[in-house]
Amino acid sequence: MTDSPLAPPNLFGLTDQRKALRVQAEGYVLRASLMMRRARALVTNDRVDACALLTDRRTALGQHFQRYQRLKHGSIFDPIVAYAPTSSKIIARGMKIDCMELGQEFVAYQTRWLRVPPSEWRWYKADMLATVDKLSLHLDAELRAIRQLLMVAEFYRR
């Protein structure tokens, strides 16, 4: 039976497709973690001279998060919400909400620090470290949940 516009996509019915989505999500999280570790090293070493570089890195991280968000919502969360069993739908909806809320927090963080005057370094440093810690914890937990959803998701055909 082939997929039709009225039938759910068979994304999660095939092991290779689930694996490809898992690998993509893992790649996004790995890259984001690396970007945050590099920025964290500059901040913990009080590299006030790197303010412009840190601004560029925040922008790059924001763009990376947007690409990751499109992948997880469009290819993982939305199909699960539309077609998976109720227990998976509940988890995916919660993950979507958490993702959007954290995305808004990151945008607010980016907005607060469009420019980092050296006189505000200590406040930036505290905010940056707290934000990176929160993002890291969220990404790790989210990736574990995505792996589980991809393992158990079964899509129903209409």
Side-chain angles (χ1 to χ4, degrees):
M1 181 182 251
T2 60
D3 290 337
S4 73
L6 297 177
N10 194 14
L11 293 175
F12 293 92
L14 301 175
T15 303
D16 289 345
Q17 289 171 327
R18 285 193 312 257
K19 183 179 179 184
L21 285 170
R22 180 182 49 81
V23 168
Q24 283 182 295
E26 289 169 349
Y28 275 107
V29 171
L30 182 65
R31 176 84 175 122
S33 297
L34 178 63
M35 293 169 83
M36 290 187 295
R37 276 196 310 274
R38 287 178 175 167
R40 182 184 193 88
L42 291 171
V43 172
T44 56
N45 288 316
D46 286 318
R47 292 283 311 274
V48 180
D49 61 313
C51 285
L53 176 61
L54 288 163
T55 297
D56 292 343
R57 289 191 176 174
R58 279 191 307 280
T59 300
L61 182 61
Q63 292 167 346
H64 182 73
F65 281 146
Q66 287 174 345
R67 289 187 297 273
Y68 179 42
Q69 186 177 42
R70 283 191 298 273
L71 169 77
K72 32 183 197 181
H73 287 259
S75 299
I76 300 171
F77 301 155
D78 292 345
I80 288 172
V81 168
Y83 304 111
T86 302
S87 60
S88 293
K89 287 180 186 205
I90 292 168
I91 293 168
R93 276 191 203 112
M95 291 176 73
K96 282 179 67 75
I97 291 166
D98 290 347
C99 175
M100 289 184 284
E101 287 175 353
L102 192 59
Q104 289 174 345
E105 283 185 47
F106 184 76
V107 168
Y109 161 77
Q110 279 185 297
T111 302
R112 277 193 304 276
W113 300 111
L114 288 175
R115 291 189 40 221
V116 181
S119 61
E120 295 184 24
W121 178 261
R122 69 180 173 137
W123 292 284
Y124 168 73
K125 180 177 180 176
D127 193 16
M128 185 276 190
L129 296 175
T131 300
V132 166
D133 288 347
K134 184 173 187 172
L135 288 168
S136 295
L137 287 172
H138 174 83
L139 288 171
D140 290 343
E142 180 181 76
L143 186 57
R144 282 191 305 275
I146 285 172
R147 287 175 179 145
Q148 290 175 331
L149 281 172
L150 291 174
M151 281 193 297
V152 301
E154 294 179 18
F155 281 70
Y156 294 115
R157 292 198 175 270
R158 291 185 191 164

